[in-house]
Amino acid sequence: MSVTLTDQDKITLRTAAYGAVSLLAAAGATGSPHKVATQGSIALASATGLVGHVLAEKSTGMDLSGKSVAELADRVLPALTASVHLLKRQAPAEADNFRSTVLVAVEAAARAQKGEPGPTMADMTRKITEALDAA
């Protein structure tokens, strides 16, 4: 079965995945947010399957701007839920792949910090996981 995603579907997937890494970078701003973003992005670039192809495409159309973490979260958390829902409808195995890919990126991003992730990063990880599971 061939899955065809619209350009908007692809933007939603990329916004969700890269946005999750951006949320963690913001949550880890007291440490090394650039290391958090780098490690999370490397994990996303390692994705396979349909998800890997979508995440590897040029990232035009994504809007990860905002004046606060809250504004970013308002875009990203619903995009995570929408992405899993979309993939469950069109390609159930890819829904699991997407969820797993994002969680690996979150874990890689969190490990970029020295020591254990602090409570802010742990809370953001929980919110990301809940958004993925809400679909």
Side-chain angles (χ1 to χ4, degrees):
M1 173 176 94
S2 177
V3 177
T4 304
L5 298 174
T6 67
D7 288 342
Q8 185 57 51
D9 293 341
K10 292 176 183 181
I11 289 169
T12 299
L13 292 172
R14 285 193 296 272
T15 297
Y18 286 100
V21 171
S22 295
L23 284 173
L24 281 174
T30 59
S32 298
H34 64 284
K35 287 182 183 178
V36 171
T38 299
Q39 292 304 313
S41 295
I42 289 169
L44 293 177
S46 300
T48 59
L50 175 66
V51 169
H53 289 285
V54 170
L55 296 180
E57 289 179 13
K58 190 172 180 178
S59 298
T60 58
M62 276 192 322
D63 182 10
L64 297 178
S65 63
K67 295 180 182 177
S68 68
V69 175
E71 282 186 23
L72 179 59
D74 287 346
R75 250 189 241 82
V76 173
L77 297 176
L80 287 163
T81 303
S83 295
V84 174
H85 182 70
L86 164 79
L87 290 171
K88 277 184 178 180
R89 243 187 7 249
Q90 293 194 28
E94 285 300 317
D96 292 338
N97 184 21
F98 179 80
R99 184 181 185 284
S100 170
T101 296
V102 171
L103 291 177
V104 167
V106 164
E107 184 176 338
R111 287 184 181 212
Q113 298 281 92
K114 290 186 179 179
E116 291 293 314
T120 308
M121 284 189 86
D123 185 52
M124 189 59 72
T125 298
R126 179 189 56 77
K127 290 174 184 177
I128 291 166
T129 304
E130 286 175 354
L132 288 167
D133 292 343

Short mmCIF file of all heavy atoms in Angstrom, two decimals, residues 22-90:
data_model
loop_
_atom_site.label_atom_id
_atom_site.label_comp_id
_atom_site.label_asym_id
_atom_site.label_seq_id
_atom_site.Cartn_x
_atom_site.Cartn_y
_atom_site.Cartn_z
N SER A 22 12.75 21.41 19.60
CA SER A 22 12.83 22.84 19.96
C SER A 22 12.29 23.09 21.36
O SER A 22 12.83 23.91 22.11
CB SER A 22 12.06 23.69 18.94
OG SER A 22 12.66 23.59 17.68
N LEU A 23 11.21 22.41 21.71
CA LEU A 23 10.65 22.56 23.06
C LEU A 23 11.65 22.11 24.11
O LEU A 23 11.81 22.74 25.16
CB LEU A 23 9.34 21.78 23.20
CG LEU A 23 8.12 22.39 22.56
CD1 LEU A 23 6.94 21.42 22.61
CD2 LEU A 23 7.76 23.71 23.25
N LEU A 24 12.34 21.01 23.83
CA LEU A 24 13.35 20.53 24.79
C LEU A 24 14.53 21.48 24.87
O LEU A 24 15.08 21.70 25.95
CB LEU A 24 13.82 19.12 24.42
CG LEU A 24 12.87 18.03 24.85
CD1 LEU A 24 13.33 16.69 24.34
CD2 LEU A 24 12.75 17.99 26.36
N ALA A 25 14.93 22.03 23.74
CA ALA A 25 16.03 23.01 23.75
C ALA A 25 15.63 24.22 24.60
O ALA A 25 16.44 24.73 25.38
CB ALA A 25 16.39 23.43 22.33
N ALA A 26 14.39 24.66 24.47
CA ALA A 26 13.92 25.79 25.28
C ALA A 26 13.86 25.41 26.75
O ALA A 26 14.21 26.22 27.62
CB ALA A 26 12.55 26.24 24.78
N ALA A 27 13.43 24.19 27.03
CA ALA A 27 13.34 23.74 28.42
C ALA A 27 14.72 23.56 29.04
O ALA A 27 14.88 23.66 30.26
CB ALA A 27 12.57 22.42 28.50
N GLY A 28 15.73 23.33 28.21
CA GLY A 28 17.09 23.14 28.70
C GLY A 28 17.94 24.37 28.49
O GLY A 28 19.17 24.28 28.42
N ALA A 29 17.32 25.53 28.42
CA ALA A 29 18.03 26.77 28.10
C ALA A 29 19.09 27.15 29.13
O ALA A 29 20.02 27.89 28.80
CB ALA A 29 17.04 27.92 27.93
N THR A 30 18.99 26.66 30.35
CA THR A 30 20.00 27.01 31.34
C THR A 30 21.29 26.21 31.14
O THR A 30 22.32 26.58 31.67
CB THR A 30 19.49 26.75 32.78
OG1 THR A 30 19.14 25.37 32.90
CG2 THR A 30 18.30 27.62 33.09
N GLY A 31 21.21 25.14 30.36
CA GLY A 31 22.39 24.32 30.09
C GLY A 31 22.97 24.67 28.73
O GLY A 31 23.47 25.77 28.52
N SER A 32 22.87 23.75 27.81
CA SER A 32 23.38 23.93 26.45
C SER A 32 22.27 23.67 25.45
O SER A 32 22.21 22.58 24.87
CB SER A 32 24.55 22.98 26.20
OG SER A 32 25.60 23.24 27.08
N PRO A 33 21.40 24.64 25.20
CA PRO A 33 20.29 24.38 24.29
C PRO A 33 20.73 23.99 22.88
O PRO A 33 20.06 23.21 22.23
CB PRO A 33 19.50 25.69 24.28
CG PRO A 33 20.39 26.71 24.88
CD PRO A 33 21.38 25.99 25.74
N HIS A 34 21.89 24.51 22.43
CA HIS A 34 22.35 24.14 21.09
C HIS A 34 22.74 22.66 21.03
O HIS A 34 22.53 21.99 20.04
CB HIS A 34 23.51 25.04 20.64
CG HIS A 34 24.74 24.91 21.47
ND1 HIS A 34 24.84 25.48 22.73
CD2 HIS A 34 25.90 24.26 21.26
CE1 HIS A 34 26.03 25.19 23.24
NE2 HIS A 34 26.68 24.46 22.38
N LYS A 35 23.30 22.12 22.12
CA LYS A 35 23.63 20.69 22.15
C LYS A 35 22.36 19.85 22.18
O LYS A 35 22.29 18.80 21.56
CB LYS A 35 24.50 20.37 23.37
CG LYS A 35 25.92 20.87 23.25
CD LYS A 35 26.73 20.47 24.46
CE LYS A 35 28.14 21.04 24.37
NZ LYS A 35 28.95 20.72 25.55
N VAL A 36 21.37 20.31 22.93
CA VAL A 36 20.08 19.61 22.98
C VAL A 36 19.48 19.56 21.58
O VAL A 36 19.08 18.49 21.10
CB VAL A 36 19.12 20.32 23.97
CG1 VAL A 36 17.72 19.75 23.88
CG2 VAL A 36 19.65 20.23 25.40
N ALA A 37 19.44 20.71 20.91
CA ALA A 37 18.87 20.78 19.56
C ALA A 37 19.67 19.93 18.58
O ALA A 37 19.08 19.23 17.74
CB ALA A 37 18.82 22.23 19.09
N THR A 38 20.98 19.96 18.68
CA THR A 38 21.83 19.18 17.77
C THR A 38 21.59 17.69 17.93
O THR A 38 21.38 16.98 16.94
CB THR A 38 23.32 19.52 17.99
OG1 THR A 38 23.51 20.91 17.72
CG2 THR A 38 24.21 18.68 17.09
N GLN A 39 21.62 17.20 19.17
CA GLN A 39 21.44 15.77 19.40
C GLN A 39 20.04 15.31 18.99
O GLN A 39 19.88 14.24 18.40
CB GLN A 39 21.71 15.43 20.87
CG GLN A 39 23.17 15.59 21.27
CD GLN A 39 24.10 14.77 20.40
OE1 GLN A 39 23.89 13.59 20.15
NE2 GLN A 39 25.15 15.41 19.90
N GLY A 40 19.03 16.10 19.29
CA GLY A 40 17.68 15.75 18.88
C GLY A 40 17.52 15.74 17.37
O GLY A 40 16.90 14.83 16.80
N SER A 41 18.11 16.71 16.70
CA SER A 41 18.03 16.79 15.24
C SER A 41 18.77 15.64 14.57
O SER A 41 18.31 15.11 13.55
CB SER A 41 18.58 18.12 14.74
OG SER A 41 17.76 19.17 15.21
N ILE A 42 19.90 15.25 15.13
CA ILE A 42 20.64 14.10 14.59
C ILE A 42 19.78 12.84 14.69
O ILE A 42 19.71 12.03 13.75
CB ILE A 42 21.99 13.91 15.30
CG1 ILE A 42 22.95 15.03 14.90
CG2 ILE A 42 22.59 12.53 15.01
CD1 ILE A 42 24.22 15.10 15.72
N ALA A 43 19.09 12.68 15.81
CA ALA A 43 18.21 11.52 15.98
C ALA A 43 17.09 11.55 14.95
O ALA A 43 16.75 10.51 14.36
CB ALA A 43 17.64 11.48 17.39
N LEU A 44 16.51 12.71 14.70
CA LEU A 44 15.44 12.80 13.70
C LEU A 44 15.97 12.50 12.30
O LEU A 44 15.28 11.87 11.50
CB LEU A 44 14.79 14.19 13.73
CG LEU A 44 13.99 14.53 14.98
CD1 LEU A 44 13.47 15.96 14.89
CD2 LEU A 44 12.85 13.55 15.21
N ALA A 45 17.18 12.92 12.02
CA ALA A 45 17.78 12.67 10.70
C ALA A 45 18.08 11.19 10.49
O ALA A 45 18.29 10.75 9.36
CB ALA A 45 19.05 13.49 10.53
N SER A 46 18.09 10.42 11.56
CA SER A 46 18.36 8.98 11.48
C SER A 46 17.09 8.16 11.29
O SER A 46 17.15 6.93 11.24
CB SER A 46 19.08 8.52 12.76
OG SER A 46 20.30 9.21 12.90
N ALA A 47 15.95 8.82 11.18
CA ALA A 47 14.67 8.11 11.03
C ALA A 47 14.63 7.34 9.71
O ALA A 47 15.27 7.73 8.72
CB ALA A 47 13.52 9.10 11.10
N THR A 48 13.86 6.27 9.70
CA THR A 48 13.71 5.44 8.50
C THR A 48 12.25 5.40 8.10
O THR A 48 11.39 5.96 8.76
CB THR A 48 14.21 4.01 8.78
OG1 THR A 48 13.47 3.45 9.87
CG2 THR A 48 15.70 3.99 9.11
N GLY A 49 11.98 4.72 7.02
CA GLY A 49 10.61 4.56 6.54
C GLY A 49 10.05 5.87 6.00
O GLY A 49 10.77 6.83 5.74
N LEU A 50 8.75 5.89 5.86
CA LEU A 50 8.07 7.08 5.37
C LEU A 50 8.40 8.29 6.24
O LEU A 50 8.67 9.38 5.73
CB LEU A 50 6.55 6.85 5.35
CG LEU A 50 5.69 8.04 4.97
CD1 LEU A 50 5.92 8.45 3.53
CD2 LEU A 50 4.21 7.73 5.22
N VAL A 51 8.40 8.09 7.54
CA VAL A 51 8.71 9.19 8.47
C VAL A 51 10.10 9.74 8.18
O VAL A 51 10.30 10.95 8.13
CB VAL A 51 8.59 8.70 9.94
CG1 VAL A 51 9.16 9.73 10.90
CG2 VAL A 51 7.14 8.40 10.28
N GLY A 52 11.06 8.87 7.98
CA GLY A 52 12.42 9.30 7.68
C GLY A 52 12.49 10.12 6.40
O GLY A 52 13.19 11.13 6.34
N HIS A 53 11.75 9.70 5.39
CA HIS A 53 11.74 10.44 4.13
C HIS A 53 11.13 11.83 4.32
O HIS A 53 11.65 12.81 3.80
CB HIS A 53 10.97 9.67 3.05
CG HIS A 53 11.69 8.46 2.56
ND1 HIS A 53 12.78 8.51 1.72
CD2 HIS A 53 11.49 7.15 2.82
CE1 HIS A 53 13.21 7.30 1.47
NE2 HIS A 53 12.45 6.45 2.12
N VAL A 54 10.04 11.90 5.06
CA VAL A 54 9.38 13.20 5.29
C VAL A 54 10.29 14.12 6.10
O VAL A 54 10.45 15.30 5.77
CB VAL A 54 8.02 13.01 6.00
CG1 VAL A 54 7.45 14.35 6.45
CG2 VAL A 54 7.04 12.30 5.07
N LEU A 55 10.91 13.60 7.14
CA LEU A 55 11.77 14.44 7.98
C LEU A 55 13.03 14.88 7.26
O LEU A 55 13.61 15.91 7.59
CB LEU A 55 12.12 13.72 9.30
CG LEU A 55 10.95 13.42 10.22
CD1 LEU A 55 11.43 12.70 11.48
CD2 LEU A 55 10.18 14.68 10.58
N ALA A 56 13.46 14.11 6.26
CA ALA A 56 14.66 14.46 5.52
C ALA A 56 14.41 15.52 4.44
O ALA A 56 15.37 16.13 3.95
CB ALA A 56 15.25 13.21 4.87
N GLU A 57 13.15 15.75 4.09
CA GLU A 57 12.84 16.74 3.08
C GLU A 57 13.17 18.14 3.59
O GLU A 57 13.23 18.38 4.79
CB GLU A 57 11.35 16.68 2.71
CG GLU A 57 10.98 15.46 1.91
CD GLU A 57 9.51 15.42 1.57
OE1 GLU A 57 8.80 16.44 1.74
OE2 GLU A 57 9.05 14.35 1.14
N LYS A 58 13.34 19.05 2.65
CA LYS A 58 13.59 20.44 3.00
C LYS A 58 12.46 20.95 3.89
O LYS A 58 11.29 20.72 3.61
CB LYS A 58 13.70 21.29 1.72
CG LYS A 58 14.19 22.67 1.97
CD LYS A 58 14.46 23.39 0.67
CE LYS A 58 14.95 24.79 0.97
NZ LYS A 58 15.28 25.52 -0.23
N SER A 59 12.82 21.62 4.94
CA SER A 59 11.85 22.01 5.97
C SER A 59 11.19 23.36 5.72
O SER A 59 11.12 24.20 6.61
CB SER A 59 12.54 22.01 7.34
OG SER A 59 12.99 20.73 7.64
N THR A 60 10.67 23.56 4.54
CA THR A 60 9.95 24.79 4.27
C THR A 60 8.54 24.69 4.83
O THR A 60 7.97 23.61 4.92
CB THR A 60 9.88 25.08 2.75
OG1 THR A 60 9.24 23.97 2.12
CG2 THR A 60 11.25 25.28 2.16
N GLY A 61 8.00 25.82 5.23
CA GLY A 61 6.64 25.86 5.70
C GLY A 61 6.45 25.65 7.18
O GLY A 61 5.38 25.90 7.72
N MET A 62 7.48 25.17 7.86
CA MET A 62 7.38 24.97 9.31
C MET A 62 7.43 26.32 10.01
O MET A 62 8.21 27.18 9.63
CB MET A 62 8.56 24.15 9.84
CG MET A 62 8.42 22.69 9.74
SD MET A 62 9.67 21.78 10.68
CE MET A 62 11.15 22.70 10.51
N ASP A 63 6.62 26.47 11.04
CA ASP A 63 6.65 27.68 11.84
C ASP A 63 6.95 27.31 13.28
O ASP A 63 6.06 26.88 14.02
CB ASP A 63 5.32 28.43 11.74
CG ASP A 63 5.33 29.73 12.53
OD1 ASP A 63 6.41 30.16 12.99
OD2 ASP A 63 4.25 30.33 12.68
N LEU A 64 8.20 27.44 13.66
CA LEU A 64 8.61 27.14 15.03
C LEU A 64 9.00 28.41 15.77
O LEU A 64 9.77 28.38 16.72
CB LEU A 64 9.78 26.14 15.03
CG LEU A 64 9.46 24.78 14.42
CD1 LEU A 64 10.70 23.89 14.44
CD2 LEU A 64 8.31 24.11 15.15
N SER A 65 8.43 29.52 15.31
CA SER A 65 8.72 30.79 15.97
C SER A 65 7.75 31.00 17.13
O SER A 65 6.80 30.25 17.30
CB SER A 65 8.58 31.94 14.97
OG SER A 65 7.24 32.01 14.52
N GLY A 66 8.02 32.01 17.88
CA GLY A 66 7.15 32.36 19.00
C GLY A 66 7.91 33.23 19.98
O GLY A 66 9.14 33.17 20.05
N LYS A 67 7.17 34.00 20.72
CA LYS A 67 7.80 34.89 21.70
C LYS A 67 8.01 34.18 23.03
O LYS A 67 8.66 34.73 23.91
CB LYS A 67 6.95 36.13 21.90
CG LYS A 67 6.86 37.00 20.65
CD LYS A 67 6.02 38.21 20.88
CE LYS A 67 5.93 39.01 19.59
NZ LYS A 67 5.06 40.17 19.74
N SER A 68 7.46 32.99 23.15
CA SER A 68 7.59 32.25 24.41
C SER A 68 7.53 30.75 24.13
O SER A 68 7.11 30.32 23.05
CB SER A 68 6.46 32.64 25.37
OG SER A 68 5.22 32.19 24.87
N VAL A 69 7.93 29.99 25.11
CA VAL A 69 7.82 28.54 25.01
C VAL A 69 6.34 28.15 24.89
O VAL A 69 5.99 27.23 24.18
CB VAL A 69 8.49 27.85 26.22
CG1 VAL A 69 8.28 26.34 26.17
CG2 VAL A 69 9.98 28.17 26.25
N ALA A 70 5.49 28.89 25.58
CA ALA A 70 4.05 28.60 25.53
C ALA A 70 3.51 28.72 24.11
O ALA A 70 2.71 27.87 23.67
CB ALA A 70 3.29 29.54 26.47
N GLU A 71 3.94 29.75 23.37
CA GLU A 71 3.49 29.90 21.98
C GLU A 71 3.97 28.74 21.12
O GLU A 71 3.23 28.23 20.28
CB GLU A 71 3.99 31.22 21.39
CG GLU A 71 3.20 32.43 21.84
CD GLU A 71 3.64 33.70 21.13
OE1 GLU A 71 4.21 33.61 20.02
OE2 GLU A 71 3.41 34.78 21.69
N LEU A 72 5.21 28.33 21.33
CA LEU A 72 5.74 27.19 20.59
C LEU A 72 4.98 25.92 20.94
O LEU A 72 4.59 25.16 20.07
CB LEU A 72 7.25 27.03 20.87
CG LEU A 72 7.95 25.87 20.18
CD1 LEU A 72 7.84 25.97 18.66
CD2 LEU A 72 9.42 25.83 20.61
N ALA A 73 4.74 25.71 22.22
CA ALA A 73 4.00 24.52 22.66
C ALA A 73 2.59 24.51 22.09
O ALA A 73 2.07 23.43 21.76
CB ALA A 73 3.97 24.47 24.19
N ASP A 74 1.97 25.68 21.96
CA ASP A 74 0.62 25.76 21.40
C ASP A 74 0.57 25.26 19.97
O ASP A 74 -0.46 24.81 19.49
CB ASP A 74 0.09 27.20 21.45
CG ASP A 74 -0.29 27.65 22.85
OD1 ASP A 74 -0.40 26.79 23.75
OD2 ASP A 74 -0.46 28.87 23.03
N ARG A 75 1.69 25.34 19.26
CA ARG A 75 1.77 24.84 17.89
C ARG A 75 2.21 23.38 17.85
O ARG A 75 1.67 22.58 17.09
CB ARG A 75 2.78 25.67 17.10
CG ARG A 75 2.18 26.56 16.08
CD ARG A 75 3.24 27.18 15.21
NE ARG A 75 3.25 28.63 15.28
CZ ARG A 75 3.83 29.38 16.22
NH1 ARG A 75 4.47 28.87 17.17
NH2 ARG A 75 3.77 30.68 16.17
N VAL A 76 3.21 23.06 18.65
CA VAL A 76 3.87 21.76 18.53
C VAL A 76 3.07 20.63 19.16
O VAL A 76 2.93 19.55 18.55
CB VAL A 76 5.29 21.82 19.15
CG1 VAL A 76 5.93 20.45 19.20
CG2 VAL A 76 6.15 22.80 18.35
N LEU A 77 2.56 20.82 20.36
CA LEU A 77 1.87 19.71 21.03
C LEU A 77 0.64 19.24 20.24
O LEU A 77 0.49 18.02 20.03
CB LEU A 77 1.52 20.09 22.48
CG LEU A 77 2.75 20.35 23.37
CD1 LEU A 77 2.31 20.81 24.76
CD2 LEU A 77 3.66 19.14 23.46
N PRO A 78 -0.19 20.15 19.72
CA PRO A 78 -1.29 19.66 18.87
C PRO A 78 -0.79 19.01 17.57
O PRO A 78 -1.42 18.07 17.07
CB PRO A 78 -2.11 20.92 18.56
CG PRO A 78 -1.77 21.87 19.65
CD PRO A 78 -0.34 21.58 20.02
N ALA A 79 0.33 19.48 17.05
CA ALA A 79 0.89 18.88 15.82
C ALA A 79 1.36 17.45 16.09
O ALA A 79 1.24 16.59 15.20
CB ALA A 79 2.03 19.73 15.27
N LEU A 80 1.88 17.19 17.28
CA LEU A 80 2.28 15.83 17.63
C LEU A 80 1.07 14.90 17.63
O LEU A 80 1.11 13.82 17.04
CB LEU A 80 2.97 15.81 19.01
CG LEU A 80 4.38 16.38 19.06
CD1 LEU A 80 4.78 16.70 20.48
CD2 LEU A 80 5.36 15.42 18.42
N THR A 81 0.00 15.34 18.27
CA THR A 81 -1.22 14.54 18.31
C THR A 81 -1.79 14.35 16.91
O THR A 81 -2.17 13.24 16.52
CB THR A 81 -2.27 15.20 19.23
OG1 THR A 81 -1.69 15.37 20.54
CG2 THR A 81 -3.53 14.37 19.34
N ALA A 82 -1.85 15.43 16.15
CA ALA A 82 -2.39 15.36 14.79
C ALA A 82 -1.56 14.43 13.90
O ALA A 82 -2.11 13.69 13.07
CB ALA A 82 -2.45 16.76 14.17
N SER A 83 -0.25 14.44 14.06
CA SER A 83 0.63 13.59 13.26
C SER A 83 0.37 12.12 13.51
O SER A 83 0.26 11.32 12.57
CB SER A 83 2.09 13.92 13.55
OG SER A 83 2.40 15.23 13.14
N VAL A 84 0.28 11.76 14.78
CA VAL A 84 0.02 10.35 15.11
C VAL A 84 -1.37 9.95 14.60
O VAL A 84 -1.54 8.87 14.01
CB VAL A 84 0.15 10.10 16.63
CG1 VAL A 84 -0.27 8.67 16.98
CG2 VAL A 84 1.59 10.34 17.08
N HIS A 85 -2.34 10.81 14.78
CA HIS A 85 -3.70 10.52 14.31
C HIS A 85 -3.71 10.34 12.79
O HIS A 85 -4.30 9.38 12.27
CB HIS A 85 -4.64 11.66 14.74
CG HIS A 85 -6.06 11.43 14.35
ND1 HIS A 85 -6.85 10.47 14.93
CD2 HIS A 85 -6.83 12.04 13.41
CE1 HIS A 85 -8.04 10.49 14.38
NE2 HIS A 85 -8.06 11.43 13.45
N LEU A 86 -3.07 11.24 12.09
CA LEU A 86 -2.99 11.17 10.63
C LEU A 86 -2.34 9.86 10.17
O LEU A 86 -2.86 9.17 9.29
CB LEU A 86 -2.17 12.36 10.11
CG LEU A 86 -1.65 12.29 8.68
CD1 LEU A 86 -2.78 12.63 7.73
CD2 LEU A 86 -0.50 13.24 8.50
N LEU A 87 -1.23 9.51 10.80
CA LEU A 87 -0.53 8.30 10.38
C LEU A 87 -1.29 7.04 10.79
O LEU A 87 -1.26 6.05 10.05
CB LEU A 87 0.89 8.29 10.95
CG LEU A 87 1.82 9.33 10.33
CD1 LEU A 87 3.13 9.41 11.10
CD2 LEU A 87 2.08 9.02 8.86
N LYS A 88 -1.98 7.06 11.92
CA LYS A 88 -2.80 5.89 12.30
C LYS A 88 -3.87 5.63 11.24
O LYS A 88 -4.19 4.47 10.96
CB LYS A 88 -3.48 6.13 13.65
CG LYS A 88 -2.61 5.84 14.84
CD LYS A 88 -3.40 6.01 16.13
CE LYS A 88 -2.56 5.67 17.33
NZ LYS A 88 -3.32 5.84 18.59
N ARG A 89 -4.40 6.68 10.67
CA ARG A 89 -5.43 6.56 9.63
C ARG A 89 -4.85 6.05 8.32
O ARG A 89 -5.45 5.22 7.65
CB ARG A 89 -6.07 7.93 9.39
CG ARG A 89 -7.51 8.02 9.71
CD ARG A 89 -8.18 9.33 9.29
NE ARG A 89 -7.40 10.26 8.52
CZ ARG A 89 -6.95 11.44 8.97
NH1 ARG A 89 -7.21 11.84 10.18
NH2 ARG A 89 -6.25 12.23 8.20
N GLN A 90 -3.67 6.57 7.95
CA GLN A 90 -3.14 6.28 6.62
C GLN A 90 -2.10 5.16 6.60
O GLN A 90 -1.97 4.49 5.57
CB GLN A 90 -2.54 7.55 6.02
CG GLN A 90 -3.59 8.59 5.73
CD GLN A 90 -3.05 9.70 4.85
OE1 GLN A 90 -2.13 9.49 4.07
NE2 GLN A 90 -3.61 10.88 4.97
#
